Amino acid sequence: MTTDTPARLLQLLSLLQTPREWPGGELADRLGVSRRTVRRDIDRLRELGYPVQASKGSDGGYRLVAGKALPPLVLDDEEAVAIAVGLRAGAGHAVEGLDEASVRALAKLEQVLPSRLRRRVSTLQAATTPLTSGDGAVIAPETLTVMASAVAGQERLRFAYRAKDGTPTKRLTEPYRLVSTGRRWYLVAYDLDRADWRTFRVDRVADPFATGARFTPRELPTGDAAEYLRQSIHVRREEYTFEATFAAPAAYVAAHVPAWLGTPEPLDEHSCRIHSSTGDAVEWLAVRLASVDCAFTVQEPPELIERIRELGERLTRAATGS
């Protein structure tokens, strides 16, 4: 019999989070208490915000249902490890749809993981190799979680940073937001040494640590971190217009090219085109378009057409050995 009420409530909650209905008698047997105690414990969980639904019948039954708000979850060891491994795998690559909220969740989970489970997570991650597409840079999940915690806690963040030309620098910042573009993670922050807003590619960050010094967030010029990043990237690189037609339905092409390249426009049932602007290097765009498993033709720009021609000749030489 479990006489420790908090421990019994946690055990009861863990049982109820299994997607099934539990007869009152079975819960009483599992917990080693009376059915009356089970009813009192159910009332306590409801007072804490857990939406427990009761069913009528000879034995009665209880199940946890969806409510208006998300109550705290209780995870067993295997569940916690599985979630942490999944979040780490996604966080290590800037996967489209995995935004800052997901990284904050990983930071919260790893903060409370016992050391034995943290070791299991690290071992599992080290023993697996994810199959990823595109050229998104690999990032240590610990880097993202440290930065996400600093953003959430409004703590100044120090880190080493490698510029595009390889020049190493040290930065002291007030981190504002983490932003994922689908291929890369960026940190939008106020650079205290330069007294200005900056964006940092997270794959170029090393040894980040929160200083513990709190700050009041400044007002971002654009008001939105994603928009600030977009404008920042646009200023740093010259955009160009490209157009390509594909011998495949628009839905097929849309599933095989990144969303930021543009939305395929149907020409007919069997072909489509993309007409958009980008600042990506033509070398990368040539390879990305060639990875779509269908015939395609590039109309512009001339630099991209030439790059694809060179790529085709190189691949032909590789295939023939000439």
Side-chain angles (χ1 to χ4, degrees), residues 1-314:
M1 175 178 177
T2 305
T3 57
D4 185 348
T5 301
R8 190 176 66 247
L9 285 176
L10 287 175
Q11 186 180 355
L12 173 60
L13 183 57
S14 180
L15 292 171
L16 290 174
Q17 285 179 344
T18 304
R20 54 162 289 191
E21 181 171 297
W22 289 87
E26 187 174 350
L27 286 176
D29 292 340
R30 287 289 192 106
L31 299 173
V33 296
S34 66
R35 297 188 185 188
R36 181 179 178 183
T37 300
V38 169
R39 289 194 294 271
R40 286 203 304 264
D41 287 348
I42 292 293
D43 289 338
R44 291 190 181 98
L45 290 179
R46 288 169 175 162
E47 291 171 0
L48 293 172
Y50 292 94
V52 181
Q53 185 181 75
S55 61
K56 297 180 180 179
S58 58
D59 195 19
Y62 302 95
R63 71 164 58 238
L64 197 62
V65 297
K68 295 182 179 179
L70 177 66
L73 299 177
V74 176
L75 303 174
D76 62 27
D77 287 2
E78 300 301 326
E79 293 166 340
V81 168
I83 292 174
V85 169
L87 287 173
R88 274 189 166 213
H93 302 264
V95 179
E96 187 171 9
L98 182 72
D99 57 13
E100 186 191 350
S102 300
V103 179
R104 289 202 311 270
L106 176 58
K108 290 179 181 179
L109 179 58
E110 293 206 338
Q111 182 180 1
V112 298
L113 276 181
S115 59
R116 70 179 192 281
L117 297 185
R118 194 175 292 111
R119 284 194 297 271
R120 286 178 60 186
V121 171
S122 299
T123 300
L124 278 171
Q125 187 182 26
T128 58
T129 301
L131 178 62
T132 58
S133 59
D135 65 345
V138 177
I139 303 168
E142 293 82 359
T143 297
L144 280 172
T145 55
V146 168
M147 300 176 89
S149 296
V151 170
Q154 297 177 2
E155 292 184 59
R156 289 181 176 177
L157 185 72
R158 284 190 183 274
F159 52 86
Y161 192 68
R162 175 176 49 83
K164 184 177 182 180
D165 61 3
T167 304
T169 58
K170 297 289 186 180
R171 303 298 181 100
L172 176 62
T173 66
E174 293 178 351
Y176 186 79
R177 288 290 187 276
L178 282 167
V179 182
S180 170
T181 64
R183 283 190 298 146
R184 295 190 178 96
W185 283 100
Y186 289 84
L187 173 69
V188 176
Y190 188 84
D191 192 319
L192 293 168
D193 295 328
R194 291 154 182 78
D196 199 4
W197 288 93
R198 291 286 191 273
T199 58
F200 302 95
R201 272 180 51 173
V202 177
D203 58 294
R204 294 177 180 166
V205 169
D207 305 321
F209 70 94
T211 66
R214 304 281 180 174
F215 67 90
T216 300
R218 303 168 192 262
E219 185 176 352
L220 191 66
T222 61
D224 179 76
E227 176 61 21
Y228 181 83
L229 175 63
R230 190 194 67 80
Q231 293 182 13
S232 176
I233 293 175
H234 177 75
V235 169
R236 289 200 301 266
R237 65 189 186 190
E238 183 179 353
E239 288 197 348
Y240 58 88
T241 300
F242 83 93
E243 181 177 356
T245 56
F246 300 83
Y252 175 85
V253 175
H256 290 78
V257 299
W260 63 85
L261 282 184
T263 302
E265 304 170 3
L267 297 177
D268 54 41
E269 293 183 359
H270 308 290
S271 64
C272 63
R273 74 162 187 164
I274 295 180
H275 187 272
S276 184
S277 296
T278 182
D280 287 306
V282 292
E283 294 84 0
W284 177 88
L285 185 55
V287 173
R288 196 66 187 83
L289 293 176
S291 68
V292 181
D293 190 17
C294 69
F296 69 94
T297 304
V298 175
Q299 283 75 38
E300 60 174 331
E303 297 85 357
L304 178 59
I305 296 173
E306 180 62 25
R307 180 60 62 180
I308 288 179
R309 182 181 295 112
E310 293 175 357
L311 176 62
E313 293 173 352
R314 192 184 313 154

